Amino acid sequence: MSDILLLSMPYGKSYGKIDIESLDFGVPPVGLAYIGSYLKSAGCDVRLVDLMFSTSNWEEVRTLIHKESPKWLGISATTPQINEAFTTAKIAKELNPDMQVVIGGIHASALPEETLSNENIDILVYGEGEMTMLELVEGKVIDQIEGIYYKRDQKIIKNPPRSLENDLDKFPYPLYEDLPLERYGGEHVGATLGIISSRGCPYQCTYCAANTIHKRKFRKRSIENIVGEIEKFKHLFKVTKFSFYDDTFTLDKNRTVAICEAIMKRDMNLEWNCITRGDSLTKPLLEIMKKAGCSMVQIGIESGSNEILRKAKRRETVEENLQAVHWAKQAGMEVVGLFILGLPYETEETIKQTIEIAKKSKVDYAQFSILVPLPGSEVWDLAQKGEAIELITSNWEDFGRYGRSIIRLKGLDEDALSKYFVKAYKKFYMRPSYIIKKLGKVTNLASFLNLSKKGLVLLKLIK
């Protein structure tokens, strides 16, 4: 039994056509893990459970909540998971009507009143949750707690927002101890442990909803704090592979160099990867990253059209992205190119340009997705106004990646976008030169089986 139970929701249909049971790896609930560790450091009795790969097995969820019988149930859910969150809350209230159900995350922060209108949710946390959740469970007077919505006399009350914490070092390392760490990582990098070395991103990309919580404010942990976490988890969990989940890991180039130098100074012998932008990479930076153990970078190329990038407020160019990929390859890294089809004002011609740039760029892997207008993003606001983009569903389960299009644009309906999505994957991965190159890297049975599995996932995606 635990006083506080934190639950990360099942992926459900978050990956569209991709069956989550076919995936070897997922992303850990780092946000909830930080909340869990903060509560635990304050002496709270807390348990964190990740239901990521549960395929909506509600009896399993019911048994878990009944066994723990918590006073507080904390739920985090993305937009395509929100219905699972509501079902979980309903189960909790059926088991114990007095259990306090709290929900948080980007979706809840973007649509607080709609989310809290669910009869089984008691309190909604908007913004960052560590300090807010602690004040809730410690019994602070509810109308004095910043960063929440709550109900009183059948009315929804909004308290003032909580200021973002600038000193990220005050938060203990994430509570990973009870999580299935062997299931976290990526299809291209294998099992890795996730680290967030900074929070927030100052850019204004129209399709991104992260600003809902971080308000485009970039905050960073100290180098000692970051490396301390790596050292602790390396020894505690016997891992040497890490993934940095920062929105833009190399945003502050000097900081990135300092992290690399600290890793090398301690002779940590790590392998790691990160996500970043092409215009925040330089050849010398990539070289030192490689020396420090960076084996792969994921670069948000997004479009092959400079005009579409400009309208998406990317503030970078196709040429900068191609240069970054070239430098990364020269440094000896693998590169994943991230692309979005269906950005506002997209045309058939610009989509074709994106597919061609993906092939021309020489990235090792291309990850295409159709634009999903997430609540909290600028494209969501455009869709609500019917400007440049039309949303054709109100079912949150349809807001997953890699599924059929849920939007239509002028001159490009949902069927056309869905067909281009499939075409993009076929054009990139079905090239004879690409297949031959990948087969040439097969050195043993394990690598052959791994390649075969990736092929089967791809076939399901494009059928």
Side-chain angles (χ1 to χ4, degrees):
M1 296 178 66
S2 303
D3 288 339
I4 308 160
L5 177 61
L6 303 178
L7 293 181
S8 180
M9 291 295 94
Y11 273 19
K13 297 181 180 179
S14 299
Y15 280 75
K17 292 182 178 181
I18 300 177
D19 180 3
I20 60 169
E21 292 186 343
S22 70
L23 298 177
D24 290 323
F25 306 104
V27 178
V30 184
L32 272 184
Y34 266 111
I35 292 174
S37 65
Y38 192 68
L39 295 175
K40 189 173 182 180
S41 70
C44 298
D45 177 25
V46 58
R47 184 183 178 198
L48 168 60
V49 178
D50 187 4
L51 301 174
M52 174 178 59
F53 287 104
S54 298
T55 53
S56 298
N57 185 338
W58 297 116
E59 284 308 310
E60 176 185 325
V61 174
R62 183 182 296 274
T63 299
L64 170 65
I65 298 175
H66 177 70
K67 178 182 177 182
E68 296 297 326
S69 297
K71 298 174 184 176
W72 294 86
L73 176 65
I75 299 173
S76 179
T78 61
T79 295
Q81 295 172 315
I82 199 66
N83 287 342
E84 276 84 0
F86 293 152
T87 300
T88 301
K90 183 175 183 292
I91 291 171
K93 288 296 186 179
E94 289 172 349
L95 290 170
N96 179 6
D98 294 326
M99 189 184 305
Q100 290 294 290
V101 179
V102 183
I103 193 167
I106 292 179
H107 183 91
S109 294
L111 298 176
E113 295 200 12
E114 176 181 313
T115 304
L116 191 55
S117 65
N118 183 278
E119 62 181 353
N120 298 303
I121 306 291
D122 297 299
I123 300 169
L124 181 145
V125 174
Y126 68 102
E128 291 181 323
E130 288 95 341
M131 289 178 281
T132 303
M133 193 66 185
L134 180 59
E135 290 180 1
L136 281 169
V137 301
E138 286 186 337
K140 185 173 181 177
V141 178
I142 195 165
D143 60 11
Q144 296 179 12
I145 299 177
E146 295 177 332
I148 65 168
Y149 285 74
Y150 64 99
K151 298 171 182 176
R152 176 180 289 164
D153 299 328
Q154 298 184 326
K155 292 182 180 180
I156 293 177
I157 309 297
K158 178 186 179 182
N159 283 1
R162 182 178 297 276
S163 298
L164 293 172
E165 176 57 54
N166 289 318
D167 181 14
L168 298 183
D169 287 2
K170 76 178 293 180
F171 298 127
Y173 302 145
L175 185 66
Y176 280 160
E177 283 79 351
D178 294 328
L179 296 179
L181 300 182
E182 72 282 356
R183 298 300 305 272
Y184 299 133
E187 299 303 310
H188 306 312
V189 295
T192 63
L193 197 62
I195 294 179
I196 294 180
S197 70
S198 65
R199 298 187 186 185
C201 176
Y203 289 96
Q204 299 177 335
C205 304
T206 60
Y207 52 84
C208 182
N211 66 88
T212 305
I213 288 180
H214 300 296
K215 307 303 178 187
R216 298 195 174 92
K217 184 177 181 180
F218 178 66
R219 296 162 294 148
K220 50 195 177 183
R221 296 164 56 190
S222 69
I223 305 303
E224 286 299 319
N225 188 260
I226 297 164
V227 177
E229 177 179 339
I230 295 173
E231 287 185 320
K232 175 185 175 179
F233 288 156
K234 179 183 177 183
H235 292 106
L236 182 62
F237 302 125
K238 311 302 180 187
V239 296
T240 57
K241 297 177 69 174
F242 293 84
S243 294
F244 285 98
Y245 290 134
D246 303 42
D247 292 332
T248 308
F249 179 69
T250 60
L251 182 65
D252 183 336
K253 298 181 183 65
N254 291 332
R255 168 184 169 274
T256 306
V257 170
I259 293 173
C260 291
E261 288 177 341
I263 290 173
M264 291 187 289
K265 183 178 180 180
R266 289 164 175 76
D267 195 24
M268 300 177 75
N269 191 29
L270 304 177
E271 181 181 342
W272 52 276
N273 66 88
C274 64
I275 305 169
T276 192
R277 295 167 52 97
D279 65 349
S280 70
L281 292 170
T282 65
K283 186 175 181 180
L285 178 61
L286 285 159
E287 288 172 348
I288 194 171
M289 288 167 62
K290 176 64 177 178
K291 289 178 182 177
C294 183
S295 60
M296 175 181 285
V297 288
Q298 299 183 52
I299 300 176
I301 301 173
E302 313 306 1
S303 176
S305 163
N306 280 325
E307 180 64 12
I308 295 300
L309 288 177
R310 184 183 67 80
K311 289 179 176 177
K313 299 182 180 179
R314 283 290 298 179
R315 291 170 56 187
E316 65 178 351
T317 65
V318 173
E319 292 73 25
E320 286 173 317
N321 285 323
L322 291 177
Q323 181 66 78
V325 173
H326 178 67
W327 284 334
K329 297 296 294 179
Q330 280 188 324
M333 298 179 186
E334 286 195 307
V335 181
V336 179
L338 310 176
F339 302 90
I340 301 175
L341 308 180
L343 287 164
Y345 310 103
E346 190 96 80
T347 65
E348 287 196 59
E349 183 59 32
T350 60
I351 288 180
K352 291 176 182 177
Q353 289 173 10
T354 297
I355 296 172
E356 288 306 308
I357 284 296
K359 292 157 59 179
K360 178 183 176 181
S361 68
K362 293 184 169 55
V363 296
D364 296 276
Y365 306 98
Q367 183 173 302
F368 299 96
S369 60
I370 304 175
L371 175 70
V372 177
L374 293 172
S377 68
E378 186 175 328
V379 293
W380 167 263
D381 295 333
L382 288 175
Q384 298 308 295
K385 299 173 185 175
E387 296 179 8
I389 181 173
E390 181 183 351
L391 189 59
I392 61 173
T393 182
S394 58
N395 184 353
W396 297 127
E397 291 185 355
D398 295 332
F399 280 64
R401 302 164 70 186
Y402 317 120
R404 280 190 54 80
S405 175
I406 62 170
I407 63 168
R408 62 172 65 110
L409 308 173
K410 184 178 180 180
L412 280 169
D413 63 15
E414 62 273 26
D415 290 332
L417 287 168
S418 297
K419 288 177 182 177
Y420 270 114
F421 170 73
V422 172
K423 185 176 182 178
Y425 273 99
K426 286 182 176 179
K427 286 279 188 179
F428 185 86
Y429 285 102
M430 297 303 186
R431 292 173 291 162
S433 59
Y434 184 86
I435 295 172
I436 291 171
K437 182 179 178 181
K438 288 301 175 186
L439 287 174
K441 293 184 177 181
V442 173
T443 57
N444 51 43
L445 179 60
S447 60
F448 174 76
L449 293 175
N450 183 49
L451 183 63
S452 299
K453 186 169 185 177
K454 289 179 181 177
L456 291 174
V457 172
L458 177 63
L459 289 175
K460 289 181 181 179
L461 189 65
I462 64 178
K463 70 178 181 179

